[in-house]
Amino acid sequence: MRRRAILVIILSCLLVAIGFTDESVNAATDHGNRYINTFLNGEALILDPTPVIINKEVLVPARQLFERLGYKVEWNESDETIHAERGLSRIDLRINRGVGDANGMQFWLFTSPLLIDGVSYIPLDFFENRQVSS
């Protein structure tokens, strides 16, 4: 039964990944200085406020990154939800919740989105190696 549950989770993640764009987002860090270089398709991406590292995870400002990827972003303050949409692609992430929704399919996040000084941050690895269809 446990193997079946793990297989279902893996297949769900793969199905979610099928829908994500081919943009490549990554970060290089200098852990000694906490300086973070962020790149989008090989080009330096200047983010303000800057990305943060929490528990060895890089988190980036959600709105800036989604908008750079061509998404329209909405913030629902009452339930602290980030809604990003581009064409037929829809992504919903909730602050302090380790589950997201992409095109109606749920997926797990290793690090929950956070609200820091009024800015919503999402884990950078959310974007790595995923593709969102438009």
Side-chain angles (χ1 to χ4, degrees), residues 101-126:
D101 184 283
N103 300 325
M105 295 190 64
Q106 289 191 337
F107 59 91
W108 294 101
L109 295 165
F110 292 112
T111 303
S112 298
L114 298 174
L115 194 60
I116 303 170
D117 295 328
V119 176
S120 56
Y121 285 83
I122 55 176
L124 184 63
D125 64 3
F126 167 79

Side-chain angles (χ1 to χ4, degrees), residues 71-90:
Y71 284 82
K72 179 183 174 191
V73 181
E74 294 179 5
W75 168 252
N76 184 328
E77 190 168 346
S78 64
D79 65 359
E80 295 186 320
T81 301
I82 303 160
H83 176 75
E85 192 169 320
R86 182 180 79 181
L88 299 176
S89 294
R90 295 177 337 171

Side-chain angles (χ1 to χ4, degrees), residues 2 17 27 34 38 43 65 102 118 128-129:
R2 186 174 186 164
R34 295 288 190 214
T38 310
E43 293 182 31
L65 196 52
E128 292 179 349
N129 302 317

Side-chain angles (χ1 to χ4, degrees), residues 30-67:
D30 176 351
H31 293 288
N33 296 323
R34 295 288 190 214
Y35 180 75
I36 304 170
N37 291 320
T38 310
F39 298 87
L40 175 62
N41 292 333
E43 293 182 31
L45 181 62
I46 308 302
L47 298 171
D48 184 28
T50 60
V52 297
I53 298 174
I54 297 179
N55 296 328
K56 299 183 182 180
E57 292 284 338
V58 177
L59 288 93
V60 295
R63 177 175 298 278
Q64 288 184 49
L65 196 52
F66 275 125
E67 287 178 348

